[in-house]
Amino acid sequence: MTSTSAAFSALAPYGWDESWAEAFAPFEADGLLPGRVVRVDRGQCDVVTADGTVRADTEFVVPRDPMKVVCTGDWVAVDPAGDPRYVRAYLPRRTAFVRSTSSKRSEGQILAANVDHAVVAVSLAVELDLGRVERFLALAWESGAQPVVVLTKADLVPDPVTLAHLVQDVETSAPGVPVLTVSALHGDGLDVLVALVGSGTSVLLGQSGAGKSTLANALVGAEVMDVRAARDVDGKGRHTTTTRNLLPLPSGGVLIDTPGLRGVGLFDAGAGVGQVFTEIEELAEGCRFHDCAHESEPGCAVRSAVEDGRLPQRRLESYRKLLRENQWIVAKTDARVRAELRREWRRKGAEGRAAMEAKRGRWA
């Protein structure tokens, strides 16, 4: 069996440390082998261990619960030998990037585990969708990772003034988040990103056509990911990445590349939404009512900020949209939240009927 010192030497480049070793101790006593999941597909996974990369089955790890399945980035306990080999358990996750499933059920789907940096790739080849950037950032903040926005294909915006305006628009939508411009094709801006992801684990997120695979190749320094051109009409591409792959970086750290995400539904991400819209949450502290919905209530500090130009109307609308979506997801599994929503709907319905009656009275 591999010694503890050998495990440290082999797994340290993948993020193994004293804390992970301590968490693994009970499994070591059972004769199991530590490793990190670098790829998952069809109920099996590739696990890098001190004995090399092994293929293992994941059926022992609660396969029916999408929140408890083994995912890329997990640290796991693997059978030291056997055919087939099995993942017996995964270690408690430090962070987890979770979105709601595309089904109508109230379930979450884990995209990556134990992530330190969430790199959101946004293509400058098409018009910026700031609402989608905010959505990605809400999930990133909720995961416990530090987000960073990377504006890719910067070579397609040669005018520095235009580029500066685009960066400013994203910075306004991403308070507290670094915003970098990168041209992976020419290598511009890569040095800053390399330094940022040079330690810990980073996950690369974004839509198809955002340039994630090209960026991953540039960071790894090799053609490890297939790259296909995006459509000129809308800048979208096909899913050249079909699985989540954990790749060691030559400068240190590891990178998890993910397939392009068409849907990024929130999953119990209330704190993440609040982090994305910190200025609105701070303004709300000045509202007359603590439960102000920032719609028509008197003394609303948020609406006042919109009216005098301190807060863009688009930001408030995006905030409301993400809050409603998140509340709806939470309500599917929380009876108390469902009851609160019903009371709120009844209150608003009564207010609407009262307003209509008042109008009829004036018209009579």
Side-chain angles (χ1 to χ4, degrees):
M1 183 175 174
T2 305
S3 68
T4 302
S5 59
F8 259 100
S9 177
L11 298 178
Y14 291 88
W16 187 255
D17 57 26
E18 292 286 353
S19 295
W20 288 122
E22 184 178 344
F24 186 77
F27 301 104
E28 184 177 28
D30 291 337
L32 298 177
L33 192 67
R36 193 167 196 190
V37 177
V38 297
R39 185 172 181 267
V40 178
D41 65 286
R42 298 191 179 101
Q44 291 187 309
C45 62
D46 293 334
V47 183
V48 62
T49 73
D51 292 342
T53 300
V54 302
R55 188 75 167 162
D57 199 301
T58 65
E59 70 175 58
F60 277 94
V61 190
V62 200
R64 291 193 180 93
D65 187 340
M67 293 290 284
K68 294 181 180 178
V69 298
V70 172
C71 73
T72 303
D74 270 326
W75 286 100
V76 296
V78 187
D79 286 335
D83 186 17
R85 302 176 79 161
Y86 291 99
V87 171
R88 296 292 175 174
Y90 62 81
L91 301 187
R93 293 159 175 155
R94 292 178 181 174
T95 63
F97 193 94
V98 183
R99 67 168 176 177
S100 65
T101 58
S102 56
S103 70
K104 294 182 180 179
R105 294 175 296 176
S106 53
E107 295 176 339
Q109 177 192 19
I110 294 187
L111 300 181
N114 303 312
V115 172
D116 300 294
H117 308 285
V119 181
V120 180
V122 180
S123 174
L124 290 176
V126 294
E127 185 177 354
L128 284 176
D129 184 344
L130 297 177
R132 180 169 287 271
V133 172
E134 290 160 346
R135 179 180 293 273
F136 270 111
L137 291 176
L139 291 173
W141 281 122
E142 191 68 32
S143 75
Q146 167 64 52
V148 55
V149 177
V150 176
L151 302 179
T152 65
K153 308 182 184 181
D155 52 288
L156 298 181
V157 188
D159 179 31
V161 175
T162 301
L163 184 60
H165 283 306
L166 292 172
V167 171
Q168 185 177 29
D169 286 343
V170 176
E171 287 176 338
T172 301
S173 303
V177 177
V179 179
L180 311 178
T181 57
V182 168
S183 170
L185 184 64
H186 301 296
D188 299 334
L190 277 176
D191 54 341
V192 179
L193 182 59
V194 166
L196 192 147
V197 302
S199 63
T201 299
S202 302
V203 62
L204 189 53
L205 306 159
Q207 289 182 284
S208 296
K212 297 189 309 303
S213 294
T214 301
L215 192 57
N217 288 338
L219 291 172
V220 175
E223 296 296 316
V224 293
M225 306 304 297
D226 184 25
V227 177
R228 297 177 191 171
R231 295 193 299 251
D232 290 336
V233 64
D234 57 9
K236 294 181 180 179
R238 288 179 289 176
H239 292 309
T240 56
T241 303
T242 57
T243 58
R244 298 169 192 99
N245 303 277
L246 189 147
L247 310 165
L249 301 177
S251 59
V254 292
L255 178 72
I256 299 175
D257 191 20
T258 64
L261 300 175
R262 290 193 179 92
V264 279
L266 301 185
F267 184 79
D268 197 6
V273 173
Q275 189 76 33
V276 175
F277 297 93
T278 53
E279 80 278 34
I280 295 179
E281 302 252 308
E282 290 170 0
L283 285 167
E285 294 177 2
C287 292
R288 181 181 302 176
F289 304 107
H290 75 278
D291 59 348
C292 182
H294 320 308
E295 292 176 350
S296 58
E297 297 88 345
C300 175
V302 174
R303 289 298 311 168
S304 177
V306 171
E307 290 165 4
D308 64 23
R310 287 178 291 138
L311 177 68
Q313 177 70 32
R314 188 207 65 79
R315 284 280 284 171
L316 178 56
E317 291 173 357
S318 182
Y319 175 67
R320 287 172 174 162
K321 179 180 179 180
L322 294 183
L323 276 185
R324 284 195 301 267
E325 178 183 326
N326 190 68
Q327 193 175 34
W328 175 249
I329 289 293
V330 173
K332 286 183 177 181
T333 56
D334 191 318
R336 179 184 59 80
V337 174
R338 282 200 301 274
E340 290 177 354
L341 275 178
R342 291 193 193 100
R343 286 195 294 271
E344 180 66 12
W345 290 337
R346 285 196 293 267
R347 182 184 67 79
K348 289 187 175 181
E351 289 177 351
R353 289 190 295 273
M356 287 301 297
E357 288 298 328
K359 287 182 180 179
R360 291 192 186 101
R362 288 196 297 272
W363 293 336

